[in-house]
Amino acid sequence: MNKKVLSVLSAAAAIGMAFGVTAHAAGNADKPVVWWNRQPSNSSTGELDMDALTWNEKTCYVGFDASQGAGLQGQMIVDYINAHLDTIDRNGDGIIGYVLAIGDIGHNDSIARTRGIRQALGTGVAVDGEIDPSPAETNVDGSSSVVQDGEIGGLTVRELASHEMKNPSGATWDAAAAESTIGIWTSSFGDQIDMIVSNNDGMGMAMFHAWSKEESVPTFGYDANSDAVAAIAEGYAGTISQHADVQAYLTLRVLRNALDGVEPDMGIGTEDEAGNVLSEDDFYYDEQTRSYYALNQAVTRENYEDFLDAARIYAPVSNQLSEETSPVRDIWLNLYNASDNFLSMTYQPLLQQYDDLLNLNVEYIGGDGQTESNITNRLMNPALYDAYAINMVKTENAASYLALLE
Ligand code: BGC
Ligand code: CA
């Protein structure tokens, strides 16, 4: 289709919309869709949105195994405590006091991490058989009902405070909010803080730079962004790699396969002509939820040197596809928040390398992290694209994207 035809078509679509007529972009509903990083789900119950996950035959989700990662993060922290029992209690009050930065109370991955940390530290309180992931807010005196005191190596473990790091306009996982919150916490009970735990590195690093680096207080994050991994040399205690190099590949590869009409597993579990293939240590696919889950790895002082470049593509899937069998196609892809640390520092640079290898011409749309319309407004002409890669602001808003493809 040439440019002129396209602009006539989009003008027609705009007129249709102006008159309240549904602009029926024939065929968009049948194009491949990948949900990535935020799995369509109910933000209060966590229940998966199967309508969105099975929108058409060529729809799936790409993320990582949140509970396996949360278990690793919890274990990493417990291992650290056990190795530093004689020094961890800075003020000698017999309590290992920690504060927790929560990313987004309505995001399954953030919830899993909060639960994993509380589970490992013995500070979780079960509600209907599952650990309550709610922020405790301030619990310096140990009286909160959402957490309880745990015990490790003869010391009490207490979640002194936890809070959802949201900015005034509603953006979550917000590093600036974490920076100001650690300021508030330390000015009132800083001497009791023995450890900082964060749902991600963006917030963890903000707190590290604002306070804990100077104070030599161990700080744990998640994502293994390059700056956080480098900070391990300067005292950042550890992070978790969610194998973004595998996820970014999968995000585009599933679209590539659907567009080429080849077996969905091609270049994933099945080696392709170019030699690309992943192993079962990297990911697994769950047929029932149509979801690909990358596996996590703990990154600590012992192994951080292998993780210093978070934006380096994964060697087993770094081979160029032939344009003969995989001709150039156009993809619309959005990031829910252009300034999200993990997505902008780690995930997008990976996508931008894989798009070349996979012969995909990707239009990257960066959202404001607050409103879905800021992004959907930039998908007014879905007919221009062959496939869509969607990163929602809120995990329950799949329908606002799908409505544009109907
Ligand atoms: C990452 C966070 C990021 C979030 C965005 C998570 O998987 O760990 O750092 O802010 O995705 O949805
Ligand atoms: Ca203490």
Side-chain angles (χ1 to χ4, degrees), residues 89 91 93 95 194:
D89 179 11
N91 65 350
D93 63 353
I95 300 173
D194 298 314

mmCIF file of all heavy atoms in Angstrom, residues 89 91 93 95 194, ligand 2:
data_model
loop_
_atom_site.group_PDB
_atom_site.id
_atom_site.type_symbol
_atom_site.label_atom_id
_atom_site.label_comp_id
_atom_site.label_asym_id
_atom_site.label_seq_id
_atom_site.Cartn_x
_atom_site.Cartn_y
_atom_site.Cartn_z
ATOM 1 N N ASP A 89 22.685 -6.042 62.459
ATOM 2 C CA ASP A 89 21.878 -5.238 63.390
ATOM 3 C C ASP A 89 22.672 -4.001 63.792
ATOM 4 O O ASP A 89 23.398 -3.990 64.785
ATOM 5 C CB ASP A 89 21.506 -6.102 64.604
ATOM 6 C CG ASP A 89 20.690 -5.351 65.634
ATOM 7 O OD1 ASP A 89 20.224 -4.229 65.327
ATOM 8 O OD2 ASP A 89 20.516 -5.893 66.740
ATOM 9 N N ASN A 91 22.083 -1.006 65.115
ATOM 10 C CA ASN A 91 21.945 -0.307 66.403
ATOM 11 C C ASN A 91 21.887 -1.267 67.583
ATOM 12 O O ASN A 91 21.651 -0.859 68.722
ATOM 13 C CB ASN A 91 20.716 0.607 66.398
ATOM 14 C CG ASN A 91 19.425 -0.184 66.276
ATOM 15 O OD1 ASN A 91 19.456 -1.390 66.017
ATOM 16 N ND2 ASN A 91 18.303 0.483 66.458
ATOM 17 N N ASP A 93 19.726 -3.415 68.596
ATOM 18 C CA ASP A 93 18.485 -3.549 69.372
ATOM 19 C C ASP A 93 17.878 -4.946 69.251
ATOM 20 O O ASP A 93 16.755 -5.193 69.704
ATOM 21 C CB ASP A 93 17.459 -2.476 68.969
ATOM 22 C CG ASP A 93 17.016 -2.607 67.507
ATOM 23 O OD1 ASP A 93 17.597 -3.436 66.758
ATOM 24 O OD2 ASP A 93 16.092 -1.881 67.108
ATOM 25 N N ILE A 95 16.889 -6.327 66.604
ATOM 26 C CA ILE A 95 15.906 -6.372 65.512
ATOM 27 C C ILE A 95 16.589 -6.045 64.190
ATOM 28 O O ILE A 95 17.310 -5.045 64.092
ATOM 29 C CB ILE A 95 14.771 -5.338 65.749
ATOM 30 C CG1 ILE A 95 14.036 -5.635 67.062
ATOM 31 C CG2 ILE A 95 13.813 -5.304 64.574
ATOM 32 C CD1 ILE A 95 13.018 -4.555 67.448
ATOM 33 N N ASP A 194 18.183 -1.419 58.989
ATOM 34 C CA ASP A 194 19.361 -2.266 58.781
ATOM 35 C C ASP A 194 19.440 -2.772 57.345
ATOM 36 O O ASP A 194 20.458 -3.348 56.941
ATOM 37 C CB ASP A 194 19.305 -3.478 59.727
ATOM 38 C CG ASP A 194 19.323 -3.054 61.192
ATOM 39 O OD1 ASP A 194 20.163 -2.195 61.542
ATOM 40 O OD2 ASP A 194 18.490 -3.555 61.971
HETATM 41 CA CA CA B 2 18.457 -3.044 64.466
#
